[in-house]
Amino acid sequence: MKKLINLISEEVTKAFVSAGYDEKYGKVTLSNRPDLCEFQCNGAMAAAKEYKCAPFMISDKVAALLESDEMFESVESVKPGFLNIKMDTAFLAKYMNDMKADEGRYGLEKAKKPLTIVVDYGGPNVAKPLHVGHLRSAVIGESVKRIAKFMGHNVIGDVHLGDWGLQMGLIITELRERKPDLVYFDESYTGEYPKEAPFTISELEDIYPTASGKSKEDESFKEAALLATKELQGGRRGYQALLSHIMNVSVTDLKRNYENLNVHFELWKGESDAQPYVPEMVEMMKEKGFAHMSEGALVVDVKEDTDTKEIPPCIILKSDGASLYSTTDLATLVMRMKENNPDRVIYLADARQSMHFIQVFRCARKTGIVPDTTELVHIGFGTMNGKDGKPFKTRDGGVMRLEYLLKEIDDEMLNKIKENQKEKENLNIDEAEAKQTAKTVALAAVKYGDLSNQASKDYVFDIDRFTSFEGNTGPYILYTIVRIKSILSKYEAKGGDISALKDAIMPAVNAGQKNLMLSLAKFNATIESAYEESAPHKICAYIYELANAFNGFYHDTKILSEENEELKKSYISLLVLTKEILEACIDMLGFSAPDRM
């Protein structure tokens, strides 16, 4: 289906051309004065300069030609030359029925040429628990991926684990001090290594910070960790086996934590997966003259003549021959081009890493790792701050584990649901259902609280505001969906058949209903825009508007008590469409709605 605003623009453009004016003046926009009209066209103001006449002379002619158009209730020419447009309710009703008939798509066309898109998000380090700093990448990345999938593209989410470098050497060295008799440390051992890991996730999460602390105070420990890292990367069997255990134990725990966030990855690749591609990539850069030595390091110059600020060279290998993040990211691109051949690669990472991605992207293009046809995108996000405006911390000033934060919000939400049940209506929700509902609503509170902000901006993580059932919050959106579900359940309980309501939506009978229809009609344009700009906040703004429009209609209209049966069916059919679109949107944001709250 064509977007409603495009259909309107086409009609107005035809009128401009029929009146003898250029088609470029027929563009229509949403009205900035919704109290006067629903859409507007200001083309006559610009056309007046070209055609050397008063703007209202042009707008009068165009309005006269559109007077009998079935699409419009009215097209009014207003001095000095604006066109104020109101939609015809019968035309809108037909548009609603067409959206409803397009089951699952609601008028949004699938991509004609599906792209292969890799979304690199999450980025946790193995052997370390997820903390609040991992939240934004996971939440925004999952939504960006889901939006692209809904558009019909082939999308691959890759967690891109931090499983290489000194942290592995630190873990191995600390483990050796604690359990020196483990077979993994016997270089002469040639047999099979145990299938069970010699540590639990709790032990592993203690080992890393202990080792990290020791390395800062004990030079010999740090030297041992550097040697262990080098031997691991050089292929030492026992250390490779330990790395496999570290990965298995960590990934099992990470999957559990990401599951609680309703975040799912198609690939669980790590930096270590890209390491086999490093030597050949480095040789290629040397042989083709892209890389040269600078102050002992191997670098590729990536500055361009048009740069207005200094862009340092991309370092490929340090003076001691060690790899860096840039090396790993470039080798990962080599791997992705061979395995996935993506049309676009999107990275979710803190905005403060923007220089790193400028260097890596330019180096990848300059050296031919990616062709010009492959788009490389960095979505840089701002920080999640506490109410004091500083990066979010625990009460004692530490970095909060993500599962503790989610538990805190689950508990807050459970209390609110229990209070809500006491104050408003006794729904007889048992403890198990209340806990599950609290978890569902809490996740919506967290995700919507993040995603409703433009990704690039910092935001304040305010549990009290995010968990509120009023205002621009996740719980308010869910409460609206639950209210619709309740009405539909009551309709069916009285013998109504929702499945039989094909083409049942009739022209709006009041302003609230028309406003709801106009909001629903924006669905395809909103999702398309959110996809093109990788902007989940646009979907949040849309469903907040849609929820408000529904609640306005709900308060103005007697739905279930309507005596005219056809009109009641029209209302119910419109509610079904509203529910389905809200549910499609929140699924793209990465959360769902309960049946009761």
Side-chain angles (χ1 to χ4, degrees), residues 417 427-430 433 437 441 482 485 593-597:
I417 285 171
L427 300 172
N428 295 317
I429 296 176
D430 62 29
E433 185 183 350
T437 300
V441 181
V482 168
K485 286 183 176 182
D595 291 326
R596 304 191 295 174
M597 281 167 71

Side-chain angles (χ1 to χ4, degrees), residues 209-254:
T210 301
S212 181
K214 280 185 184 177
S215 71
K216 290 168 187 171
E217 296 172 4
D218 183 344
E219 192 60 34
S220 63
F221 186 90
K222 186 177 180 180
E223 288 298 321
L226 286 167
L227 177 62
T229 304
K230 189 173 182 181
E231 289 179 328
L232 167 68
Q233 295 180 358
R236 181 166 166 175
R237 281 183 72 242
Y239 291 0
Q240 291 280 337
L242 277 176
L243 175 63
S244 180
H245 286 314
I246 292 166
M247 290 294 293
N248 289 339
V249 171
S250 282
V251 166
T252 299
D253 188 61
L254 286 168

Side-chain angles (χ1 to χ4, degrees), residues 449 452-453 459-460 462-470 472-473:
S452 56
N453 300 278
Y459 78 99
V460 173
D462 185 343
I463 292 177
D464 293 334
R465 184 170 71 81
F466 290 176
T467 56
S468 173
F469 285 85
E470 297 174 356
N472 189 9
T473 69

Side-chain angles (χ1 to χ4, degrees), residues 57-112:
M57 294 174 68
I58 297 173
S59 60
D60 282 353
K61 282 185 189 177
V62 174
L65 287 167
L66 292 169
E67 193 174 6
S68 59
D69 195 306
E70 66 174 14
M71 190 182 287
F72 308 118
E73 178 186 303
S74 66
V75 179
E76 186 183 5
S77 173
V78 180
K79 286 186 177 180
F82 301 117
L83 286 169
N84 288 356
I85 302 166
K86 289 184 178 178
M87 297 303 296
D88 179 76
T89 53
F91 180 87
L92 259 183
K94 182 182 182 306
Y95 197 84
M96 293 296 102
N97 284 315
D98 289 345
M99 284 179 71
K100 196 160 178 291
D102 187 16
E103 199 172 329
R105 302 300 306 167
Y106 315 109
L108 177 67
E109 288 186 30
K110 271 196 172 185
K112 289 184 174 66

Side-chain angles (χ1 to χ4, degrees), residues 257 394 445 525 527 561:
N257 277 284
T394 59
I527 304 306
S561 60

